[in-house]
Amino acid sequence: MVSITTLKKTTGRRFVVRRSGIHGKGGFAVQSIPKGTRLIEYKGEIITWATVNRRYPDDEGPGQNHTFLFEIDDKRVIDANVGGNSARWLNHSCKPNCEAVGEDDRIFIESIKPLKPGDELVYDYNIQLPERHTPALKRRYLCRCGNRGCRGTILGKKR
Ligand SMILES: C[S@@+](CC[C@H](N)C(=O)[O-])C[C@H]1O[C@@H](n2cnc3c(N)ncnc32)[C@H](O)[C@@H]1O
Ligand SMILES: [Zn+2]
């Protein structure tokens, strides 16, 4: 038989959004979460890369690495600035405890490790830019995850 306490723990909010030591706001577990739990869908408006470029012209300035965009494929992107949910606050880490899973044109964030209350939910953004990932570009997309073995950038290895 399942106790009321267990029921309470497995229902309701699994994480909250608050200030993160990595960057700005982040998502933090408020209950124990087993590995393999689907936590949230990365919601937002689905747009093309052409719309991204129109909407967010890159000014090459410092600190211009902030993004609420999630690449679905080489044609489509989810823009969480429009109709986004709490998934847009989850930060990147080079030692992730979550991953982004694609299903058709939808993206879900799932735990890949058991999480304890207070753990920050992080996944590897593995950002792929069309241009070469030069050292300067990597610095511009600096990673502050603070893990030993941090690769120093939120950009991924070029596919
Ligand atoms: C989807 S937002 C995550 C929410 C963000 N913390 C905020 O408060 O807006 C993605 C942006 O957060 C920042 N970010 C996320 N993870 C990071 C990390 N490990 N190191 C440095 N900046 C990070 C980058 O600017 C990135 O483009
Ligand atoms: Zn890192």
Side-chain angles (χ1 to χ4, degrees):
M1 181 144 115
V2 181
S3 75
I4 299 287
T5 330
T6 313
L7 267 181
K8 269 198 190 141
K9 278 190 175 158
T10 52
T11 56
R13 253 184 339 180
R14 290 200 174 91
F15 71 92
V16 291
V17 173
R18 61 176 165 82
R19 281 213 86 71
S20 162
I22 298 178
H23 175 274
K25 292 184 194 170
F28 293 82
V30 287
Q31 53 175 261
S32 298
I33 301 172
K35 175 180 168 177
T37 305
R38 183 162 284 191
L39 293 164
I40 192 166
E41 179 174 355
Y42 194 101
K43 287 212 169 162
E45 186 187 2
I46 297 181
I47 55 177
T48 61
W49 276 109
T51 306
V52 169
N53 295 335
R54 247 195 335 270
R55 233 176 236 186
Y56 307 107
D58 193 337
D59 69 1
E60 298 286 325
Q64 293 304 310
N65 68 347
H66 189 271
T67 177
F68 282 134
L69 301 174
F70 196 111
E71 178 183 22
I72 300 173
D73 53 31
D74 55 1
K75 294 197 180 60
R76 293 159 316 151
V77 174
I78 301 174
D79 183 358
N81 288 296
V82 184
N85 58 6
S86 310
R88 73 185 188 280
W89 298 112
L90 302 190
N91 281 319
H92 159 95
S93 172
C94 300
K95 198 176 165 199
N97 52 25
C98 292
E99 69 177 356
V101 177
E103 249 178 46
D104 302 322
D105 55 1
R106 298 171 73 186
I107 303 289
F108 298 90
I109 308 296
E110 298 181 358
S111 56
I112 52 171
K113 292 180 184 165
L115 299 167
K116 298 186 301 299
D119 285 351
E120 179 164 2
L121 276 47
V122 283
Y123 63 99
D124 187 340
Y125 285 8
N126 189 24
I127 295 177
Q128 301 288 325
L129 297 177
E131 60 268 51
R132 203 164 71 79
H133 291 179
T134 59
L137 201 58
K138 287 180 186 167
R139 272 197 301 279
R140 198 160 153 232
Y141 284 81
L142 197 72
C143 180
R144 298 185 190 282
C145 77
N147 284 293
R148 206 153 15 123
C150 169
R151 63 176 183 258
T153 178
I154 63 176
L155 299 181
K157 268 218 166 77
K158 262 301 202 189
R159 280 187 212 120

